[in-house]
Amino acid sequence: MKCYVCSNDLIAVADKLYKCTSCKTLQRLNPEEYYQNILEVYNSKYFAERYESRYGRKASEDIENMRKITHRRLDTIENIYLREGECSGCGSGSCGGCYVRNFVSSLKNKSLLDIGCGIGVFIDMAKRRGFNIRGIDINKEILHLLPPDIRDRVIITDFANYETNEKFDIITIWYVIEHLPNPREVLRKVWGLLKYGGILAISTPNGNGFTQTFKPKFYYSLVPEDHIFEFSPDSLSILLKEENFKVIKIVNTGFHPDRVSRIPIIKNILELYQRITNVGDTFEIYAVKKVQI
């Protein structure tokens, strides 16, 4: 049994769940077969009962929190987009390999593809900021949950089957890559869909994060059956770099000291530890499509 990311040895940590001894990625064996066996979970209950059982509230009750997170993510994307620039050739922006930014340009009408758009909170907010948005999701049950004015911008399909000649400025994958059986192929396809200098933004659980470090058995019991991979920031960075992305920023999120202890003094120590180490149970990673040399 070898790791999907680094080909080192795996050890069993729970039923049907394995961990790499080197890069610390959590993963399932035979990911494609495993994926086919759990596809039925993406049904009408996914954004109702299942969401509530995982997060303690209905998705409809979590909209405002989702919007706050979306504003922060869009701010990060805009700042990176206007800051990053690179040229492998002339250095002036006039050759085909350039993606030198106009630092005073607007991001209005920049194209954005959200893979696994769910109930559409992110693309709805992105549209309000002026992005030309498109969403993809495998779950047809989301259609009636989407805001009416973006419904026609969402395609119901598996990303593996999505075909287009369009190139995007930004592609986002929020809490989706852990569900997919072929992350490398996804990243390669994303690379082909991005313009040079385009941004890829991903959020995902941290398979080597805070709770896993202090209460591993408890954390493994929380891993949903539809999570095929849970990367660490290091292991996902490895995949991105191997697929010619330049990692720009990693944001650790999902700080839950109460998962480890509810004793006030211990919880305070854990909160201090998290502030110092900046290690959470989830993380976001932002990368730029590099010029191939």
Side-chain angles (χ1 to χ4, degrees):
M1 300 182 295
K2 298 298 181 181
C3 175
Y4 179 87
V5 177
C6 66
S7 298
N8 280 295
D9 292 334
L10 301 177
I11 56 171
V13 294
D15 184 36
K16 298 181 181 179
L17 186 64
Y18 297 79
K19 190 178 184 73
C20 177
T21 56
S22 180
C23 73
K24 310 304 181 185
T25 301
L26 291 176
Q27 52 204 283
R28 311 287 183 176
L29 298 184
N30 305 312
E32 188 62 51
E33 178 183 344
Y34 184 90
Y35 177 69
Q36 294 301 323
N37 289 336
I38 53 92
L39 268 177
E40 64 183 23
V41 305
Y42 302 111
N43 54 32
S44 60
K45 297 181 180 180
Y46 196 80
F47 288 103
E49 289 95 332
R50 290 177 64 84
Y51 189 97
E52 188 172 4
S53 68
R54 289 184 184 181
Y55 303 110
R57 54 193 177 276
K58 297 177 181 177
S60 59
E61 298 171 341
D62 209 16
I63 299 298
E64 283 307 311
N65 183 53
M66 292 179 187
R67 286 175 177 160
K68 289 178 183 178
I69 294 171
T70 291
H71 277 303
R72 176 183 58 76
R73 289 172 172 170
L74 287 169
D75 286 344
T76 300
I77 288 169
E78 289 177 343
N79 288 335
I80 292 173
Y81 190 91
L82 294 174
R83 186 178 70 236
E84 290 298 317
E86 182 178 314
C87 178
S88 64
C90 68
S92 68
S94 62
C95 73
C98 293
Y99 52 87
V100 177
R101 303 286 192 225
N102 177 354
F103 283 79
V104 297
S105 68
S106 169
L107 271 71
K108 188 174 182 179
N109 293 323
K110 295 298 182 184
S111 55
L112 185 151
L113 173 66
D114 188 24
I115 300 170
C117 64
I119 60 176
V121 174
F122 180 79
I123 52 175
D124 182 40
M125 300 302 293
K127 181 176 181 290
R128 296 185 193 189
R129 287 213 189 183
F131 287 94
N132 178 17
I133 58 98
R134 188 177 298 280
I136 298 175
D137 204 283
I138 196 174
N139 190 351
K140 65 181 180 181
E141 304 294 340
I142 68 167
L143 287 174
H144 73 283
L145 300 171
L146 292 167
D149 62 334
I150 66 170
R151 206 166 287 163
D152 64 344
R153 305 299 295 166
V154 173
I155 299 171
I156 302 300
T157 187
D158 190 315
F159 179 62
N161 300 325
Y162 177 64
E163 299 293 338
T164 181
N165 293 323
E166 186 176 1
K167 297 285 188 180
F168 297 91
D169 296 292
I170 297 112
I171 295 180
T172 56
I173 312 177
W174 307 122
Y175 293 112
V176 172
I177 201 163
E178 64 271 15
H179 298 267
L180 303 178
N182 49 359
R184 284 186 191 276
E185 292 176 26
V186 170
L187 294 179
R188 287 170 189 167
K189 187 165 184 174
V190 166
W191 200 95
L193 291 173
L194 274 174
K195 298 176 183 178
Y196 283 107
I199 294 172
L200 169 61
I202 300 172
S203 64
T204 191
N206 187 346
N208 194 44
F210 176 78
T211 303
Q212 190 281 151
T213 299
F214 287 93
K215 293 184 73 172
K217 290 184 179 180
F218 173 65
Y219 183 80
Y220 301 146
S221 73
L222 298 177
V223 176
E225 72 275 21
D226 51 323
H227 285 196
I228 300 175
F229 294 96
E230 287 199 359
F231 300 100
S232 68
D234 287 343
S235 66
L236 189 50
S237 295
I238 290 170
L239 281 184
L240 286 165
K241 290 173 183 176
E242 287 179 351
E243 300 306 324
N244 293 310
F245 286 95
K246 176 185 177 184
V247 175
I248 301 298
K249 187 179 182 71
I250 296 174
V251 180
N252 282 287
T253 55
F255 298 103
H256 302 292
D258 54 306
R259 285 183 173 179
V260 177
S261 177
R262 296 183 182 274
I263 300 173
I265 188 169
I266 296 178
K267 186 177 176 181
N268 290 340
I269 293 171
L270 292 172
E271 287 176 340
L272 177 62
Y273 172 85
Q274 284 197 317
R275 284 199 296 270
I276 293 172
T277 62
N278 193 32
V279 176
D281 284 337
T282 57
F283 67 98
E284 297 168 4
I285 190 163
Y286 298 82
V288 171
K289 176 176 176 176
K290 293 172 61 177
V291 173
Q292 284 187 318
I293 300 175

